[in-house]
Amino acid sequence: MKALLFFANGFEETEAIGTLDVLLRGGIDVRTVSITDDLTVEGAHGQKVIANTTISEVKDELVDALVLPGGMPGAANLAECSVLRDMLIRHHAEGKLVSAICAAPMALAKAGLLDGIDATCYPGFESELPNANHKTSGVVKIGQIITGRGPGYVFDFGLAILASLAGQSVADEVAAGLLLGGR
């Protein structure tokens, strides 16, 4: 299973790295992708990461999952990226998993993927998902779309993606290895 996790300047570090870690522990082949031509991306709290590749290098690929961390202005930058929007629409149409946490569901909404379906987002960003059915759950999965509420739900978000890609038993094994109680 292959996934692309997208970085935009202003991304939420906890959501990006936490989700990446969960997926890697579960055996998912994850590549981090800068939405610009610069591999170095700065998070919302000033932490810099070096992505594996750029969006121009992967824009025509079809993978099993696309993952969008939140953070501001990272989520807004993701939502404004037309290449990413096209990738989201194409992956969804092909039955692949698309996922976003915190403010990043706005990118899914801008791609028209949340129209009339249940979704969650960081409190205060509901207006950015005008056609979604707003939920306050930590993670919402509807078909091939997963949305997460915010950084406190990063493990639940990552595990939901992992369960969708590799099965619940793999997600349970990763949760146990992370000492996440009650899983």
Side-chain angles (χ1 to χ4, degrees):
M1 291 289 174
K2 295 184 178 190
L4 299 175
L5 189 147
F6 293 88
F7 285 113
N9 284 315
F11 70 92
E12 168 52 54
E13 292 93 340
T14 298
E15 293 164 356
I17 302 304
T19 304
L20 175 63
D21 183 68
V22 167
L23 296 176
L24 291 172
R25 286 173 187 259
I28 305 301
D29 177 6
V30 185
R31 283 182 291 156
T32 55
V33 181
S34 169
I35 66 164
T36 70
D37 289 331
D38 189 349
L39 289 176
T40 302
V41 187
E42 187 171 337
H45 301 100
Q47 298 303 306
K48 292 183 180 178
V49 299
I50 299 174
N52 300 125
T53 190
T54 63
I55 198 166
S56 62
E57 294 172 347
V58 299
K59 67 181 179 178
D60 296 323
E61 289 186 29
L62 188 65
V63 297
D64 301 295
L66 302 181
V67 182
L68 283 61
M72 287 301 285
N77 290 333
L78 292 173
E80 293 303 316
C81 179
S82 62
V83 175
L84 177 58
R85 188 174 321 116
D86 291 344
M87 290 179 74
L88 289 165
I89 293 167
R90 181 167 49 93
H91 277 75
H92 184 259
E94 292 286 339
K96 304 301 183 182
L97 189 69
V98 294
S99 57
I101 189 170
C102 193
M106 72 170 68
L108 302 182
K110 191 155 187 175
L113 302 181
L114 300 183
D115 293 355
I117 70 163
D118 294 352
T120 192
C121 64
Y122 195 82
F125 283 88
E126 294 85 0
S127 63
E128 299 294 334
L129 287 61
N131 299 317
N133 301 323
H134 301 280
K135 302 298 176 186
T136 58
S137 305
V139 174
V140 174
K141 182 179 187 299
I142 301 293
Q144 293 302 106
I145 298 175
I146 297 174
T147 53
R149 194 156 166 89
Y153 295 99
V154 68
F155 289 116
D156 297 312
F157 177 71
L159 290 167
I161 297 167
L162 183 58
S164 293
L165 295 175
Q168 190 61 52
S169 63
V170 173
D172 290 345
E173 186 178 315
V174 169
L178 289 168
L179 303 180
L180 295 173
R183 298 198 199 302

